[in-house]
Amino acid sequence: WVLLSAAALSVLTSLIIGLIPAMEGARTDACSIIRDPSARVRGGIAKETLVMVQVGCSLVLITGAMLFTQSYWTARSLDLGFEPEGVLVTQVNLRNLGYDEDQGRAFVRQALERLAELPGAGPVSAASMIPFSGAWSTDIEASPGSVPNAPDNRIWVGLNTVAPAYFDVAGVEIISGRPLGPQDVEGAAPTIVINEVLAGLLWPGQDPIGKTAPVGDGFTVVGVARHATYYEIGEQRSTQAYLPVLQQHQAVVHFLVKADHDVTTLSTRVQSELREIEPSLAFSLVTTFEALVDEEVSRYEVSAVLVSLLSVIAVLLAATGLYGVVAFLVTNQTREIGVRMALGANQTRVAGEVVLSGLRLAVGGLGLGVTGAVILRGHTESLLFNVEAGDPLPMLGACLILLFAIAAASAGPARRATRLDPIEAMGRVS
């Protein structure tokens, strides 16, 4: 249906475009054109106006393409605070298997041991949450007055349970203390790693290592991690706490494997190894950190590609339309050009004036385009990532691209004008 609708719309557009000049031609008096060839110039103003509108629309699209492309590259090059390259993710839900907490911990321990022995596997870990997969949080109480504008001194904290080596696998930097390790198991003292944002809120200007974080019944802080992206690209710096997965059991577990070589081959091996532990195991998700990032930034990529494609088409149409109008003007000024060349005008000057006639139309179109871009920039602000819709550089670049395209389109008619024989040009219309 999409294909048929597009075809029908194309046919309808062709009929409308063809109908307008057909009706104009039907009203033309052939005898008057024979007697007065200058009558052919009628309609030139309408053609010039349409070209200026076309140029204006092209400017809006090119400006949008530059903004969306800049937005995409900004999102793509953003420092996420973790390293997505080569990290395989396999999600399982132990609740579906009827596992209790003890069975779940035993499964995680056995799975981590076996996955670490796989050929091609680097560091191996597990986590209940992965980037961009939702949020698990709690409220904690800070010391009075430590958090401005926080009602009742309550702080929202994102939570994650992770296995040893998580920070190595995910590439999250520990800036103070130590990461969670194999000693942080059930029966040991409850430990926690917090990120630098939460550390600054709870103990501003102090060393948090060894202090008790007011999470649950209280956990001893053993490390401080660098802030990372947790929920979406471009999010505000937020608090995060990491608990040991072997102390705080969660039914949903993501096994993370850093691949040395081919992630696809390793994915098959990981699934087979886990099914050897539990044959009835089903995998809710099998992906990579890189795929998660790609999916997150794809919304900006789609906008950039689509608007860029439309802008290229618009520039080609505008250049084609301008070529036609300038050629039309040259045809109707054949006698005038012939007279001027007979009186000594050189070819460079004639060509320059033809190109200038095209550029004059371009300036009018650029004025319309700038106005349209200014009007529409408020509607595109929410679609951009860390890019100001009012940035003048993309619009300036769009103007230069259009001016170049228009000058190139005017070059053909200009070259044809310089090749006119003055005597023949004056005689052709006399």
Side-chain angles (χ1 to χ4, degrees):
W1 284 110
V2 173
L3 180 61
L4 291 175
S5 300
L9 184 61
S10 299
V11 171
L12 180 62
T13 303
S14 301
L15 290 175
I16 293 175
I17 291 175
L19 184 62
I20 296 174
M23 294 176 62
E24 181 181 343
R27 295 195 302 266
T28 301
D29 184 1
C31 294
S32 64
I33 292 180
I34 295 174
R35 291 192 302 268
D36 183 11
S38 64
R40 289 178 297 177
V41 182
R42 186 166 59 90
I45 295 178
K47 294 180 177 65
E48 293 176 6
T49 302
L50 288 175
V51 168
M52 286 192 290
V53 172
Q54 226 172 11
V55 171
C57 293
S58 300
L59 177 65
V60 172
L61 284 172
I62 297 174
T63 303
M66 289 187 167
L67 287 172
F68 282 115
T69 301
Q70 184 180 353
S71 172
Y72 168 66
W73 283 114
T74 301
R76 171 61 69 182
S77 59
L78 183 70
D79 182 7
L80 300 174
F82 63 90
E83 299 174 3
E85 293 79 12
V87 179
L88 175 68
V89 181
T90 307
Q91 177 184 331
V92 299
N93 191 331
L94 302 179
R95 185 182 296 110
N96 296 338
L97 301 174
Y99 282 17
D100 59 22
E101 291 191 12
D102 291 337
Q103 291 173 316
R105 290 191 186 96
F107 176 86
V108 171
R109 281 194 297 267
Q110 188 177 2
L112 292 174
E113 291 172 359
R114 298 186 64 159
L115 293 179
E117 297 174 356
L118 286 176
V124 174
S125 188
S128 59
M129 305 296 296
I130 56 175
F132 320 121
S133 66
W136 174 37
S137 63
T138 187
D139 287 335
I140 65 174
E141 185 172 358
S143 57
S146 63
V147 185
N149 304 321
D152 303 324
N153 297 307
R154 306 296 295 182
I155 302 176
W156 178 91
V157 179
L159 297 177
N160 196 1
T161 58
V162 301
Y166 171 82
F167 298 96
D168 287 337
V169 175
V172 178
E173 180 185 358
I174 297 294
I175 58 179
S176 177
R178 66 169 178 87
L180 298 174
Q183 68 271 36
D184 302 307
V185 296
E186 184 184 14
T191 53
I192 191 172
V193 169
I194 61 177
N195 75 348
E196 56 185 324
V197 179
L198 181 57
L201 291 175
L202 292 176
W203 301 286
Q206 303 178 43
D207 183 5
I209 305 302
K211 297 185 182 298
T212 301
V215 178
D217 295 330
F219 292 80
T220 301
V221 178
V222 296
V224 177
R226 182 190 173 202
H227 172 266
T229 299
Y230 308 110
Y231 311 111
E232 63 179 358
I233 292 287
E235 67 190 15
Q236 297 293 322
R237 288 169 58 88
S238 58
T239 57
Q240 185 76 1
Y242 303 88
L243 306 172
V245 72
L246 297 179
Q247 287 184 348
Q248 305 294 319
H249 172 71
Q250 293 294 316
V252 176
V253 182
H254 298 87
F255 289 100
L256 312 178
V257 182
K258 189 78 169 181
D260 288 341
H261 301 293
D262 184 25
V263 176
T264 304
T265 303
L266 183 61
S267 172
T268 304
R269 293 173 180 170
V270 167
Q271 294 176 66
S272 299
E273 197 70 24
L274 293 176
R275 280 204 174 101
E276 286 190 14
I277 304 174
E278 176 54 69
S280 61
L281 193 63
F283 302 104
S284 309
L285 176 71
V286 179
T287 185
T288 64
F289 269 16
E290 287 180 290
L292 294 174
V293 174
D294 289 341
E295 184 178 356
E296 184 70 11
V297 301
S298 63
R299 51 181 170 170
Y300 303 109
E301 181 181 16
V302 169
S303 300
V305 171
L306 180 60
V307 179
S308 296
L309 179 61
L310 291 176
S311 67
V312 170
I313 295 173
V315 170
L316 292 176
L317 290 175
T320 303
L322 191 75
Y323 176 91
V325 169
V326 175
F328 174 80
L329 294 175
V330 169
T331 300
N332 284 281
Q333 295 174 2
T334 299
R335 185 176 182 182
E336 177 186 343
I337 293 172
V339 170
R340 295 180 60 197
M341 294 182 69
L343 293 176
N346 58 41
Q347 293 182 344
T348 301
R349 183 171 182 178
V350 170
E353 291 184 355
V354 172
V355 172
L356 283 175
S357 65
L359 292 178
R360 278 194 291 269
L361 294 177
V363 171
L366 293 178
L368 292 175
V370 170
T371 303
V374 170
I375 294 174
L376 293 175
R377 71 181 180 184
H379 300 283
T380 59
E381 192 81 51
S382 61
L383 303 175
L384 301 173
F385 177 76
N386 285 358
V387 173
E388 294 289 337
D391 187 353
L393 290 180
M395 189 175 297
L396 177 60
C399 291
L400 294 177
I401 290 174
L402 272 175
L403 288 174
F404 177 80
I406 289 166
S410 303
R415 187 169 55 252
R416 196 178 81 182
T418 61
R419 294 177 178 176
L420 290 175
D421 185 340
I423 298 177
E424 181 181 350
M426 289 185 294
R428 185 185 304 173
V429 190
S430 59

